[in-house]
Amino acid sequence: MKKVGRNDPCPCGSGKKYKLCHQAMDEGMPAVPVNAAVTEKAALESRLVNQGNALQAQGLWDEAVICYRKAVDLNPAAAELHSNLGNLLDSLGRTEEAVASYRKALALKPEVAELHSNLGLTLQALGRSDEAVACYEKAVAIKPGYAGAHFNLGLALQAQGRHEAAATRYRQVLALRPGYAQAHNNLANALESLGRLDEAIVSYRDAVALDPLLLAARNGLASVLGRLVPLWHVPMMNDTIRNAAYYDALRAAVTPDSNVFEIGTGSGLLSMMAAKLGAKSVTTCEAEPIVAATAKRVIADNGLDQRIRLLAKKSTDVHVGEDLPQPADILVSEILSSELLGERVLSSIEDAKRRLLKPGCRIIPAAGSIMIALFGGEDIGSNLAVGDACGFNLRQFNDIVPRRQTIARSDLRIEMLSADTEAFRFDFESAIVAAPEVKTLNIPVTAAGLCLGFVQWIRLEMFADIVFENHPSVKAAASGWTRCAYVFASPVELKIGQVAVVSAAHNRVMPWFELQGVE
Protein backbone atom coordinates (compact mmCIF):
# COMPACT_ATOMS: atom_id res chain seq x y z
CA MET A 1 0.00 0.00 0.00
CA LYS A 2 1.25 3.49 -0.86
CA LYS A 3 2.96 5.49 1.90
CA VAL A 4 1.98 9.17 2.21
CA GLY A 5 4.69 11.77 2.88
CA ARG A 6 3.98 15.00 4.76
CA ASN A 7 4.57 17.13 1.63
CA ASP A 8 2.47 14.92 -0.66
CA PRO A 9 -1.09 15.90 -1.65
CA CYS A 10 -3.50 14.76 1.05
CA PRO A 11 -5.38 11.62 -0.07
CA CYS A 12 -8.64 13.04 1.28
CA GLY A 13 -9.05 15.06 -1.97
CA SER A 14 -8.80 18.53 -0.40
CA GLY A 15 -5.95 19.55 -2.73
CA LYS A 16 -3.82 20.66 0.23
CA LYS A 17 -0.50 19.20 1.29
CA TYR A 18 -0.82 16.34 3.76
CA LYS A 19 1.01 18.21 6.55
CA LEU A 20 -1.36 21.20 6.26
CA CYS A 21 -4.54 19.24 5.92
CA HIS A 22 -4.06 16.62 8.69
CA GLN A 23 -1.48 17.75 11.26
CA ALA A 24 -2.46 14.86 13.57
CA MET A 25 -1.36 12.24 11.08
CA ASP A 26 2.17 10.86 11.41
CA GLU A 27 4.52 11.04 8.45
CA GLY A 28 4.60 7.92 6.35
CA MET A 29 1.33 6.38 7.62
CA PRO A 30 -0.43 4.19 5.07
CA ALA A 31 -3.42 5.61 3.28
CA VAL A 32 -5.97 4.48 0.78
CA PRO A 33 -4.97 6.06 -2.52
CA VAL A 34 -7.56 8.29 -4.13
CA ASN A 35 -7.61 10.34 -7.26
CA ALA A 36 -9.68 13.20 -8.55
CA ALA A 37 -12.40 10.90 -9.80
CA VAL A 38 -13.21 9.22 -6.48
CA THR A 39 -16.62 9.72 -5.07
CA GLU A 40 -17.30 11.68 -1.92
CA LYS A 41 -18.07 8.39 -0.14
CA ALA A 42 -14.72 6.90 -1.15
CA ALA A 43 -12.91 10.06 -0.07
CA LEU A 44 -14.58 9.92 3.33
CA GLU A 45 -13.65 6.26 3.65
CA SER A 46 -10.05 7.10 2.79
CA ARG A 47 -9.99 9.95 5.29
CA LEU A 48 -11.36 7.70 8.05
CA VAL A 49 -8.76 5.03 7.35
CA ASN A 50 -5.93 7.57 7.48
CA GLN A 51 -7.29 9.12 10.64
CA GLY A 52 -7.52 5.64 12.17
CA ASN A 53 -3.93 4.92 11.19
CA ALA A 54 -2.74 8.18 12.72
CA LEU A 55 -4.69 7.66 15.93
CA GLN A 56 -3.34 4.14 16.19
CA ALA A 57 0.20 5.44 15.78
CA GLN A 58 -0.41 7.86 18.67
CA GLY A 59 -1.73 5.10 20.91
CA LEU A 60 -5.31 6.33 20.76
CA TRP A 61 -6.62 2.84 20.18
CA ASP A 62 -10.30 3.24 20.96
CA GLU A 63 -10.57 6.32 18.76
CA ALA A 64 -8.83 4.42 15.96
CA VAL A 65 -11.36 1.59 16.27
CA ILE A 66 -14.19 4.11 15.88
CA CYS A 67 -12.64 5.45 12.66
CA TYR A 68 -12.15 1.96 11.22
CA ARG A 69 -15.70 0.93 12.09
CA LYS A 70 -17.05 4.02 10.34
CA ALA A 71 -14.97 3.15 7.27
CA VAL A 72 -16.32 -0.41 7.35
CA ASP A 73 -19.87 0.91 7.59
CA LEU A 74 -19.24 3.01 4.50
CA ASN A 75 -17.80 0.09 2.52
CA PRO A 76 -18.85 -3.26 4.06
CA ALA A 77 -17.73 -5.11 0.93
CA ALA A 78 -14.03 -4.22 1.46
CA ALA A 79 -12.35 -7.32 2.89
CA GLU A 80 -9.16 -5.35 3.66
CA LEU A 81 -11.11 -3.01 5.97
CA HIS A 82 -12.56 -5.92 7.94
CA SER A 83 -9.13 -7.54 8.10
CA ASN A 84 -7.39 -4.36 9.30
CA LEU A 85 -10.09 -3.80 11.91
CA GLY A 86 -9.62 -7.39 13.04
CA ASN A 87 -5.86 -6.84 13.39
CA LEU A 88 -6.42 -3.77 15.56
CA LEU A 89 -9.05 -5.44 17.75
CA ASP A 90 -6.79 -8.46 18.18
CA SER A 91 -3.87 -6.27 19.26
CA LEU A 92 -6.20 -4.66 21.85
CA GLY A 93 -7.14 -8.07 23.25
CA ARG A 94 -10.70 -7.74 21.98
CA THR A 95 -10.41 -11.17 20.46
CA GLU A 96 -14.07 -12.10 20.07
CA GLU A 97 -14.66 -8.91 18.10
CA ALA A 98 -11.51 -9.62 16.08
CA VAL A 99 -12.84 -13.08 15.19
CA ALA A 100 -16.07 -11.52 13.91
CA SER A 101 -14.11 -9.08 11.72
CA TYR A 102 -11.86 -11.81 10.29
CA ARG A 103 -14.87 -13.98 9.49
CA LYS A 104 -16.50 -11.08 7.60
CA ALA A 105 -13.28 -10.58 5.64
CA LEU A 106 -13.13 -14.29 4.82
CA ALA A 107 -16.74 -14.32 3.69
CA LEU A 108 -15.71 -11.73 1.12
CA LYS A 109 -12.31 -13.24 0.20
CA PRO A 110 -12.15 -16.91 1.25
CA GLU A 111 -9.11 -17.54 -0.96
CA VAL A 112 -6.72 -15.34 1.08
CA ALA A 113 -4.42 -17.64 3.10
CA GLU A 114 -3.25 -14.83 5.39
CA LEU A 115 -6.81 -14.19 6.56
CA HIS A 116 -7.23 -17.84 7.56
CA SER A 117 -3.92 -17.72 9.42
CA ASN A 118 -4.82 -14.51 11.27
CA LEU A 119 -8.15 -15.96 12.31
CA GLY A 120 -6.32 -19.07 13.48
CA LEU A 121 -4.01 -17.00 15.68
CA THR A 122 -6.95 -15.27 17.33
CA LEU A 123 -8.86 -18.50 17.88
CA GLN A 124 -5.74 -20.05 19.36
CA ALA A 125 -5.48 -17.14 21.79
CA LEU A 126 -9.06 -17.92 22.84
CA GLY A 127 -8.12 -21.55 23.49
CA ARG A 128 -10.19 -22.82 20.58
CA SER A 129 -7.37 -24.97 19.27
CA ASP A 130 -9.42 -27.28 17.04
CA GLU A 131 -10.80 -24.29 15.13
CA ALA A 132 -7.34 -22.75 14.98
CA VAL A 133 -5.86 -25.93 13.50
CA ALA A 134 -8.59 -25.98 10.87
CA CYS A 135 -7.80 -22.36 9.93
CA TYR A 136 -4.07 -23.04 9.57
CA GLU A 137 -4.72 -26.18 7.54
CA LYS A 138 -6.92 -24.14 5.21
CA ALA A 139 -4.19 -21.50 4.91
CA VAL A 140 -1.49 -24.00 3.91
CA ALA A 141 -3.88 -25.77 1.56
CA ILE A 142 -4.42 -22.48 -0.26
CA LYS A 143 -0.75 -21.49 -0.06
CA PRO A 144 1.57 -24.51 0.49
CA GLY A 145 4.66 -22.29 0.64
CA TYR A 146 3.26 -20.19 3.50
CA ALA A 147 5.93 -20.84 6.13
CA GLY A 148 4.23 -18.71 8.79
CA ALA A 149 1.03 -20.76 8.62
CA HIS A 150 2.97 -24.04 8.83
CA PHE A 151 4.79 -22.63 11.87
CA ASN A 152 1.56 -21.53 13.59
CA LEU A 153 0.00 -24.89 12.80
CA GLY A 154 2.94 -26.55 14.49
CA LEU A 155 2.37 -24.44 17.60
CA ALA A 156 -1.34 -25.31 17.67
CA LEU A 157 -0.62 -29.02 17.26
CA GLN A 158 1.93 -28.90 20.08
CA ALA A 159 -0.65 -27.24 22.31
CA GLN A 160 -2.90 -30.23 21.63
CA GLY A 161 -0.11 -32.66 22.51
CA ARG A 162 0.19 -33.80 18.88
CA HIS A 163 3.97 -33.58 18.89
CA GLU A 164 4.66 -35.87 15.94
CA ALA A 165 2.35 -33.85 13.68
CA ALA A 166 3.90 -30.63 15.02
CA ALA A 167 7.40 -31.90 14.21
CA THR A 168 6.26 -32.58 10.64
CA ARG A 169 5.05 -28.99 10.29
CA TYR A 170 8.29 -27.54 11.65
CA ARG A 171 10.24 -29.61 9.17
CA GLN A 172 8.08 -28.13 6.41
CA VAL A 173 8.89 -24.65 7.72
CA LEU A 174 12.59 -25.47 7.64
CA ALA A 175 12.33 -26.81 4.10
CA LEU A 176 11.02 -23.36 3.16
CA ARG A 177 13.23 -21.35 5.55
CA PRO A 178 16.30 -23.38 6.58
CA GLY A 179 17.76 -20.50 8.55
CA TYR A 180 14.75 -19.99 10.83
CA ALA A 181 16.24 -20.54 14.30
CA GLN A 182 12.89 -20.50 16.12
CA ALA A 183 11.59 -23.33 13.93
CA HIS A 184 14.67 -25.42 14.80
CA ASN A 185 13.98 -24.67 18.48
CA ASN A 186 10.32 -25.63 18.24
CA LEU A 187 11.18 -28.81 16.36
CA ALA A 188 13.54 -29.64 19.21
CA ASN A 189 10.72 -29.00 21.72
CA ALA A 190 8.47 -31.43 19.88
CA LEU A 191 11.19 -34.08 19.64
CA GLU A 192 11.95 -33.68 23.34
CA SER A 193 8.28 -34.23 24.16
CA LEU A 194 8.38 -37.39 22.06
CA GLY A 195 11.37 -38.64 24.04
CA ARG A 196 13.66 -38.44 21.02
CA LEU A 197 16.29 -36.60 22.99
CA ASP A 198 19.26 -37.24 20.72
CA GLU A 199 17.39 -35.74 17.77
CA ALA A 200 16.27 -32.85 19.99
CA ILE A 201 19.89 -32.05 20.82
CA VAL A 202 20.73 -31.78 17.11
CA SER A 203 17.84 -29.35 16.52
CA TYR A 204 18.63 -27.27 19.60
CA ARG A 205 22.24 -27.01 18.44
CA ASP A 206 21.09 -25.95 14.96
CA ALA A 207 18.97 -23.22 16.56
CA VAL A 208 21.86 -21.98 18.71
CA ALA A 209 24.24 -21.98 15.73
CA LEU A 210 21.81 -19.75 13.83
CA ASP A 211 20.96 -17.50 16.79
CA PRO A 212 23.40 -17.73 19.71
CA LEU A 213 21.13 -15.45 21.78
CA LEU A 214 17.99 -17.57 21.35
CA LEU A 215 17.73 -18.29 25.07
CA ALA A 216 14.89 -20.79 24.71
CA ALA A 217 17.18 -22.97 22.61
CA ARG A 218 20.08 -22.50 25.03
CA ASN A 219 17.86 -23.54 27.93
CA GLY A 220 16.35 -26.46 26.03
CA LEU A 221 19.77 -27.78 25.05
CA ALA A 222 21.02 -27.54 28.64
CA SER A 223 17.89 -29.29 29.91
CA VAL A 224 18.13 -32.23 27.51
CA LEU A 225 21.87 -32.67 28.03
CA GLY A 226 21.24 -32.59 31.78
CA ARG A 227 18.72 -35.42 31.41
CA LEU A 228 20.98 -37.54 29.24
CA VAL A 229 24.31 -36.70 30.85
CA PRO A 230 23.78 -35.75 34.52
CA LEU A 231 26.36 -33.35 35.89
CA TRP A 232 27.74 -35.93 38.32
CA HIS A 233 29.67 -37.43 35.37
CA VAL A 234 32.30 -34.68 35.53
CA PRO A 235 33.18 -34.91 39.25
CA MET A 236 33.08 -38.70 38.92
CA MET A 237 35.71 -38.62 36.17
CA ASN A 238 37.79 -36.23 38.27
CA ASP A 239 37.51 -38.32 41.45
CA THR A 240 41.17 -39.29 41.89
CA ILE A 241 40.50 -41.63 44.83
CA ARG A 242 37.82 -43.56 42.94
CA ASN A 243 39.94 -43.69 39.79
CA ALA A 244 42.92 -45.03 41.70
CA ALA A 245 40.79 -47.76 43.30
CA TYR A 246 39.49 -48.92 39.90
CA TYR A 247 42.96 -48.79 38.34
CA ASP A 248 44.54 -50.76 41.18
CA ALA A 249 41.79 -53.38 40.98
CA LEU A 250 42.16 -53.74 37.20
CA ARG A 251 45.92 -53.91 37.47
CA ALA A 252 45.58 -56.78 39.95
CA ALA A 253 43.03 -58.64 37.79
CA VAL A 254 44.04 -58.10 34.16
CA THR A 255 46.45 -60.46 32.42
CA PRO A 256 47.46 -60.76 28.75
CA ASP A 257 44.78 -63.48 28.39
CA SER A 258 41.95 -61.41 29.90
CA ASN A 259 38.77 -60.72 27.96
CA VAL A 260 37.25 -57.70 29.68
CA PHE A 261 33.61 -56.64 29.43
CA GLU A 262 32.40 -53.31 30.81
CA ILE A 263 28.82 -52.25 31.53
CA GLY A 264 28.32 -48.50 31.29
CA THR A 265 31.05 -46.96 29.13
CA GLY A 266 30.60 -43.37 30.27
CA SER A 267 33.73 -41.52 29.16
CA GLY A 268 35.50 -44.78 28.29
CA LEU A 269 37.91 -44.37 31.19
CA LEU A 270 37.69 -47.88 32.68
CA SER A 271 37.90 -49.56 29.26
CA MET A 272 41.00 -47.52 28.45
CA MET A 273 42.52 -48.55 31.77
CA ALA A 274 41.94 -52.23 30.92
CA ALA A 275 43.39 -51.81 27.43
CA LYS A 276 46.41 -49.93 28.77
CA LEU A 277 46.99 -52.73 31.30
CA GLY A 278 47.33 -55.26 28.45
CA ALA A 279 43.99 -57.07 28.32
CA LYS A 280 43.62 -59.42 25.36
CA SER A 281 40.28 -57.85 24.41
CA VAL A 282 38.06 -55.08 25.80
CA THR A 283 34.38 -54.70 24.96
CA THR A 284 32.24 -51.99 26.50
CA CYS A 285 28.58 -51.07 26.15
CA GLU A 286 26.70 -47.81 26.67
CA ALA A 287 22.92 -47.47 26.41
CA GLU A 288 22.79 -43.71 25.91
CA PRO A 289 23.61 -42.93 22.24
CA ILE A 290 25.06 -39.44 22.81
CA VAL A 291 27.34 -40.76 25.58
CA ALA A 292 28.38 -43.73 23.43
CA ALA A 293 29.21 -41.47 20.48
CA THR A 294 31.23 -39.15 22.70
CA ALA A 295 33.10 -42.03 24.35
CA LYS A 296 33.97 -43.36 20.90
CA ARG A 297 35.67 -40.04 20.11
CA VAL A 298 37.44 -40.03 23.49
CA ILE A 299 38.78 -43.54 22.92
CA ALA A 300 39.95 -42.59 19.43
CA ASP A 301 41.65 -39.44 20.78
CA ASN A 302 43.68 -41.71 23.04
CA GLY A 303 44.68 -44.06 20.23
CA LEU A 304 42.78 -47.05 21.62
CA ASP A 305 39.94 -47.35 19.10
CA GLN A 306 41.54 -50.46 17.56
CA ARG A 307 41.75 -52.18 20.93
CA ILE A 308 38.37 -51.35 22.43
CA ARG A 309 35.05 -52.40 20.92
CA LEU A 310 32.23 -50.07 21.91
CA LEU A 311 28.61 -51.25 21.67
CA ALA A 312 25.92 -48.55 21.73
CA LYS A 313 23.34 -50.72 23.48
CA LYS A 314 22.24 -51.95 26.89
CA SER A 315 24.12 -54.87 28.37
CA THR A 316 20.86 -56.84 28.36
CA ASP A 317 20.88 -56.55 24.55
CA VAL A 318 24.46 -57.83 24.20
CA HIS A 319 24.89 -61.44 23.01
CA VAL A 320 27.84 -63.81 22.98
CA GLY A 321 28.77 -64.79 19.42
CA GLU A 322 27.23 -61.62 18.06
CA ASP A 323 28.67 -58.80 20.17
CA LEU A 324 31.15 -60.74 22.31
CA PRO A 325 33.33 -63.36 20.58
CA GLN A 326 33.35 -65.38 23.78
CA PRO A 327 32.20 -65.00 27.41
CA ALA A 328 34.30 -62.50 29.34
CA ASP A 329 36.45 -63.44 32.31
CA ILE A 330 36.50 -59.94 33.86
CA LEU A 331 33.46 -57.71 34.32
CA VAL A 332 33.97 -54.08 35.36
CA SER A 333 31.24 -51.52 35.86
CA GLU A 334 30.52 -48.17 37.43
CA ILE A 335 26.73 -48.37 37.24
CA LEU A 336 26.49 -47.56 40.93
CA SER A 337 24.44 -44.69 42.30
CA SER A 338 25.08 -42.77 45.52
CA GLU A 339 22.70 -45.15 47.31
CA LEU A 340 24.38 -48.05 45.39
CA LEU A 341 21.26 -49.55 43.78
CA GLY A 342 19.66 -46.71 41.81
CA GLU A 343 21.08 -47.62 38.39
CA ARG A 344 19.80 -51.22 38.62
CA VAL A 345 23.24 -52.64 39.21
CA LEU A 346 21.87 -55.90 40.65
CA SER A 347 19.76 -56.89 37.65
CA SER A 348 22.50 -55.87 35.20
CA ILE A 349 25.21 -57.92 36.89
CA GLU A 350 22.89 -60.91 37.41
CA ASP A 351 21.99 -60.90 33.71
CA ALA A 352 25.65 -60.60 32.67
CA LYS A 353 26.62 -63.52 34.91
CA ARG A 354 23.93 -65.72 33.37
CA ARG A 355 24.72 -64.95 29.72
CA LEU A 356 27.94 -63.05 29.13
CA LEU A 357 30.55 -64.19 31.65
CA LYS A 358 32.61 -67.29 32.22
CA PRO A 359 31.96 -69.28 35.41
CA GLY A 360 34.11 -67.85 38.18
CA CYS A 361 34.50 -64.54 36.35
CA ARG A 362 36.14 -61.76 38.36
CA ILE A 363 33.84 -58.77 38.90
CA ILE A 364 35.04 -55.25 39.74
CA PRO A 365 33.81 -54.17 42.20
CA ALA A 366 33.41 -57.62 43.72
CA ALA A 367 31.00 -56.48 46.43
CA GLY A 368 29.25 -53.37 47.63
CA SER A 369 27.80 -52.26 50.94
CA ILE A 370 25.28 -49.60 51.92
CA MET A 371 26.64 -47.93 55.04
CA ILE A 372 24.76 -45.71 57.50
CA ALA A 373 25.35 -43.82 60.74
CA LEU A 374 23.45 -41.43 62.99
CA PHE A 375 24.48 -37.83 62.41
CA GLY A 376 23.94 -34.27 63.52
CA GLY A 377 25.62 -30.91 63.36
CA GLU A 378 24.36 -27.38 62.96
CA ASP A 379 26.52 -26.76 59.90
CA ILE A 380 25.02 -29.55 57.80
CA GLY A 381 21.62 -29.26 59.45
CA SER A 382 21.09 -25.75 58.11
CA ASN A 383 21.18 -27.23 54.60
CA LEU A 384 18.70 -30.04 55.29
CA ALA A 385 15.92 -28.59 57.44
CA VAL A 386 14.65 -25.24 58.70
CA GLY A 387 13.86 -24.07 62.22
CA ASP A 388 13.69 -20.40 63.18
CA ALA A 389 14.61 -17.62 60.78
CA CYS A 390 14.44 -13.87 61.46
CA GLY A 391 12.51 -14.62 64.64
CA PHE A 392 9.87 -16.72 62.90
CA ASN A 393 9.11 -20.43 63.33
CA LEU A 394 9.33 -22.03 59.88
CA ARG A 395 9.32 -25.70 60.92
CA GLN A 396 6.06 -26.49 59.18
CA PHE A 397 7.93 -26.08 55.89
CA ASN A 398 9.88 -29.24 56.66
CA ASP A 399 6.71 -31.23 55.94
CA ILE A 400 7.19 -30.64 52.22
CA VAL A 401 10.97 -31.09 52.14
CA PRO A 402 12.02 -34.58 50.91
CA ARG A 403 13.00 -36.90 53.74
CA ARG A 404 15.80 -38.33 51.62
CA GLN A 405 18.24 -35.74 50.31
CA THR A 406 21.57 -35.73 48.55
CA ILE A 407 24.39 -34.08 50.47
CA ALA A 408 26.08 -32.37 47.57
CA ARG A 409 28.57 -30.36 49.63
CA SER A 410 31.51 -32.05 51.31
CA ASP A 411 32.71 -28.87 53.05
CA LEU A 412 29.92 -28.90 55.65
CA ARG A 413 30.85 -30.09 59.12
CA ILE A 414 29.01 -33.26 60.10
CA GLU A 415 28.90 -34.80 63.57
CA MET A 416 28.89 -38.60 63.60
CA LEU A 417 26.80 -39.80 66.56
CA SER A 418 27.29 -43.55 66.06
CA ALA A 419 29.76 -46.03 64.67
CA ASP A 420 29.62 -46.93 60.99
CA THR A 421 26.96 -49.60 60.35
CA GLU A 422 26.72 -51.90 57.34
CA ALA A 423 23.01 -51.93 56.50
CA PHE A 424 23.21 -54.19 53.44
CA ARG A 425 26.02 -56.02 51.64
CA PHE A 426 25.83 -57.35 48.07
CA ASP A 427 28.26 -60.01 46.83
CA PHE A 428 28.36 -59.33 43.10
CA GLU A 429 30.69 -62.25 42.36
CA SER A 430 29.17 -65.09 44.35
CA ALA A 431 25.47 -64.35 44.83
CA ILE A 432 23.12 -65.65 42.14
CA VAL A 433 20.25 -63.29 42.96
CA ALA A 434 20.02 -60.61 45.64
CA ALA A 435 16.49 -60.65 47.05
CA PRO A 436 14.74 -57.61 48.55
CA GLU A 437 15.35 -57.32 52.29
CA VAL A 438 13.73 -55.86 55.38
CA LYS A 439 15.61 -55.95 58.66
CA THR A 440 15.96 -54.24 62.03
CA LEU A 441 19.25 -52.59 62.96
CA ASN A 442 20.29 -51.71 66.49
CA ILE A 443 22.76 -48.83 66.32
CA PRO A 444 24.54 -47.81 69.56
CA VAL A 445 24.87 -44.06 70.16
CA THR A 446 28.54 -43.16 70.58
CA ALA A 447 28.25 -39.37 70.88
CA ALA A 448 25.60 -37.20 72.49
CA GLY A 449 23.85 -34.56 70.46
CA LEU A 450 20.85 -33.53 68.45
CA CYS A 451 20.41 -36.24 65.80
CA LEU A 452 19.07 -35.09 62.44
CA GLY A 453 18.79 -38.53 60.83
CA PHE A 454 20.92 -41.13 59.06
CA VAL A 455 23.82 -40.33 56.76
CA GLN A 456 24.33 -43.00 54.09
CA TRP A 457 27.32 -43.75 51.85
CA ILE A 458 28.77 -46.70 49.93
CA ARG A 459 31.69 -49.05 50.49
CA LEU A 460 33.09 -51.03 47.54
CA GLU A 461 35.31 -54.09 47.78
CA MET A 462 37.03 -53.60 44.46
CA PHE A 463 39.39 -56.61 44.33
CA ALA A 464 41.03 -58.60 47.11
CA ASP A 465 42.00 -55.99 49.74
CA ILE A 466 41.44 -52.93 47.51
CA VAL A 467 38.55 -50.94 49.00
CA PHE A 468 36.86 -47.68 48.09
CA GLU A 469 34.62 -45.82 50.52
CA ASN A 470 33.21 -42.30 50.26
CA HIS A 471 32.96 -41.91 54.02
CA PRO A 472 31.36 -38.66 55.27
CA SER A 473 34.59 -37.76 57.05
CA VAL A 474 36.53 -37.76 53.73
CA LYS A 475 36.60 -34.35 52.05
CA ALA A 476 37.12 -35.07 48.36
CA ALA A 477 37.73 -32.23 45.91
CA ALA A 478 35.57 -34.00 43.32
CA SER A 479 33.33 -37.02 43.70
CA GLY A 480 30.71 -38.66 41.52
CA TRP A 481 29.15 -40.49 44.45
CA THR A 482 27.69 -38.22 47.10
CA ARG A 483 26.31 -39.06 50.51
CA CYS A 484 22.59 -39.24 51.21
CA ALA A 485 20.71 -38.00 54.26
CA TYR A 486 17.55 -39.65 55.57
CA VAL A 487 16.22 -36.78 57.66
CA PHE A 488 13.96 -37.34 60.68
CA ALA A 489 10.60 -35.56 60.76
CA SER A 490 11.91 -33.88 63.92
CA PRO A 491 15.44 -33.99 65.39
CA VAL A 492 16.01 -36.39 68.30
CA GLU A 493 18.24 -35.65 71.33
CA LEU A 494 20.56 -38.64 71.87
CA LYS A 495 22.77 -39.68 74.78
CA ILE A 496 25.77 -41.98 74.87
CA GLY A 497 24.75 -45.55 75.68
CA GLN A 498 21.35 -45.33 74.03
CA VAL A 499 20.51 -47.60 71.08
CA ALA A 500 18.65 -46.44 67.98
CA VAL A 501 16.26 -49.07 66.64
CA VAL A 502 16.12 -48.74 62.86
CA SER A 503 13.95 -50.35 60.20
CA ALA A 504 16.02 -50.90 57.06
CA ALA A 505 14.70 -52.06 53.70
CA HIS A 506 15.64 -52.25 50.05
CA ASN A 507 13.69 -53.38 46.99
CA ARG A 508 16.78 -54.02 44.81
CA VAL A 509 16.51 -50.49 43.38
CA MET A 510 16.53 -48.21 46.43
CA PRO A 511 17.08 -48.47 50.18
CA TRP A 512 15.13 -46.76 52.97
CA PHE A 513 15.78 -46.23 56.66
CA GLU A 514 13.27 -45.32 59.37
CA LEU A 515 13.86 -44.66 63.09
CA GLN A 516 11.52 -46.85 65.16
CA GLY A 517 12.65 -45.61 68.54
CA VAL A 518 15.51 -45.09 70.98
CA GLU A 519 16.17 -47.47 73.86
Side-chain angles (χ1 to χ4, degrees):
M1 189 173 288
K2 180 182 178 183
K3 302 289 185 179
V4 181
R6 293 177 62 81
N7 292 310
D8 293 336
C10 184
C12 71
S14 66
K16 298 180 181 180
K17 290 185 177 181
Y18 179 80
K19 68 179 180 181
L20 298 176
C21 187
H22 290 88
Q23 289 286 354
M25 295 185 180
D26 280 356
E27 183 177 358
M29 291 304 300
V32 176
V34 266
N35 54 46
V38 296
T39 64
E40 182 179 346
K41 180 179 177 181
L44 178 56
E45 175 193 331
S46 175
R47 186 160 59 249
L48 288 167
V49 170
N50 279 279
Q51 287 174 338
N53 289 338
L55 291 166
Q56 186 176 351
Q58 296 174 45
L60 300 173
W61 306 100
D62 292 332
E63 292 86 342
V65 169
I66 293 170
C67 285
Y68 290 137
R69 285 200 187 281
K70 287 180 178 179
V72 167
D73 290 340
L74 282 172
N75 189 4
E80 291 86 353
L81 293 179
H82 290 289
S83 176
N84 291 342
L85 177 58
N87 291 340
L88 175 57
L89 291 167
D90 187 53
S91 67
L92 292 173
R94 295 162 63 174
T95 46
E96 291 288 1
E97 295 175 78
V99 167
S101 290
Y102 287 137
R103 291 201 188 281
K104 289 176 181 177
L106 280 167
L108 294 164
K109 287 192 174 181
E111 75 286 356
V112 179
E114 288 76 8
L115 285 176
H116 288 283
S117 185
N118 286 350
L119 175 57
L121 283 168
T122 307
L123 290 168
Q124 195 169 339
L126 288 168
R128 293 155 63 176
S129 60
D130 288 341
E131 295 175 77
V133 166
C135 287
Y136 297 135
E137 288 176 338
K138 183 68 174 176
V140 298
I142 294 170
K143 191 176 180 179
Y146 188 1
H150 285 292
F151 183 85
N152 292 333
L153 179 52
L155 288 174
L157 292 167
Q158 271 190 283
Q160 293 181 333
R162 298 166 61 186
H163 303 294
E164 190 69 63
T168 298
R169 291 298 170 176
Y170 293 133
R171 287 194 175 96
Q172 288 176 310
V173 174
L174 292 169
L176 296 165
R177 295 178 56 188
Y180 190 10
Q182 189 64 56
H184 284 286
N185 176 74
N186 287 17
L187 173 58
N189 292 161
L191 293 168
E192 183 178 356
S193 298
L194 290 166
R196 291 153 60 178
L197 302 186
D198 295 292
E199 295 176 71
I201 286 174
V202 173
S203 290
Y204 278 132
R205 283 177 168 162
D206 287 340
V208 169
L210 289 164
D211 184 356
L213 295 181
L214 183 54
L215 300 188
R218 288 283 187 188
N219 184 63
L221 179 58
S223 174
V224 174
L225 286 173
R227 290 170 63 184
L228 294 178
V229 192
L231 292 178
W232 49 257
H233 279 82
V234 171
M236 180 182 70
M237 288 182 278
N238 289 324
D239 187 339
T240 56
I241 300 174
R242 183 204 77 115
N243 292 345
Y246 267 106
Y247 187 79
D248 289 346
L250 283 165
R251 181 171 55 187
V254 170
T255 72
D257 295 324
S258 297
N259 295 300
V260 178
F261 179 57
E262 179 192 17
I263 300 177
T265 308
S267 65
L269 179 59
L270 300 186
S271 288
M272 291 190 292
M273 286 182 183
K276 180 180 178 180
L277 288 166
K280 179 181 179 181
S281 71
V282 180
T283 303
T284 181
C285 65
E286 173 59 54
E288 182 49 58
I290 189 172
V291 176
T294 304
K296 190 175 184 68
R297 297 197 302 271
V298 170
I299 291 169
D301 283 348
N302 288 275
L304 293 170
D305 49 317
Q306 300 302 310
R307 299 187 57 193
I308 298 172
R309 186 179 187 195
L310 194 155
L311 308 172
K313 57 173 64 177
K314 296 179 181 178
S315 64
T316 51
D317 295 329
V318 173
H319 299 282
V320 174
E322 178 183 335
D323 304 301
L324 284 173
Q326 59 184 336
D329 42 40
I330 296 177
L331 171 68
V332 62
S333 72
E334 54 185 8
I335 50 172
L336 307 167
S337 63
S338 294
E339 70 278 9
L340 192 72
L341 305 176
E343 295 187 39
R344 301 185 181 275
V345 60
L346 295 180
S347 59
S348 296
I349 291 179
E350 288 163 0
D351 173 74
K353 287 167 68 175
R354 284 194 304 270
R355 303 185 306 107
L356 307 175
L357 309 179
K358 292 179 181 178
C361 171
R362 301 311 304 260
I363 297 178
I364 301 173
S369 298
I370 299 175
M371 308 294 295
I372 65 168
L374 299 165
F375 82 100
E378 184 177 345
D379 203 19
I380 193 169
S382 63
N383 285 265
L384 301 175
V386 64
D388 294 327
C390 301
F392 301 100
N393 179 358
L394 305 182
R395 289 172 179 80
Q396 290 290 341
F397 197 83
N398 293 326
D399 288 345
I400 60 173
V401 174
R403 294 280 301 281
R404 182 175 68 179
Q405 302 180 41
T406 297
I407 304 174
R409 294 175 57 183
S410 63
D411 61 316
L412 300 173
R413 183 172 175 270
I414 183 170
E415 297 176 10
M416 305 295 283
L417 303 180
S418 73
D420 302 347
T421 300
E422 183 180 69
F424 301 104
R425 182 179 183 276
F426 304 90
D427 188 334
F428 300 137
E429 282 193 341
S430 301
I432 299 174
V433 173
E437 293 180 77
V438 177
K439 63 171 68 172
T440 298
L441 303 173
N442 295 307
I443 304 179
V445 177
T446 57
L450 190 66
C451 183
L452 302 175
F454 307 105
V455 60
Q456 178 258 304
W457 66 98
I458 61 176
R459 183 177 187 273
L460 303 178
E461 299 168 35
M462 305 297 289
F463 187 91
D465 59 350
I466 301 168
V467 174
F468 170 87
E469 186 172 12
N470 64 332
H471 195 279
S473 63
V474 177
K475 307 300 181 186
S479 176
W481 291 312
T482 58
R483 295 85 174 179
C484 297
Y486 293 76
V487 183
F488 296 160
S490 298
V492 177
E493 192 70 49
L494 295 180
K495 298 178 181 178
I496 296 175
Q498 291 180 315
V499 175
V501 181
V502 182
S503 291
H506 79 80
N507 62 356
R508 289 174 46 89
V509 178
M510 64 169 284
W512 191 264
F513 305 97
E514 195 75 26
L515 180 67
Q516 295 302 307
V518 179
E519 299 176 349

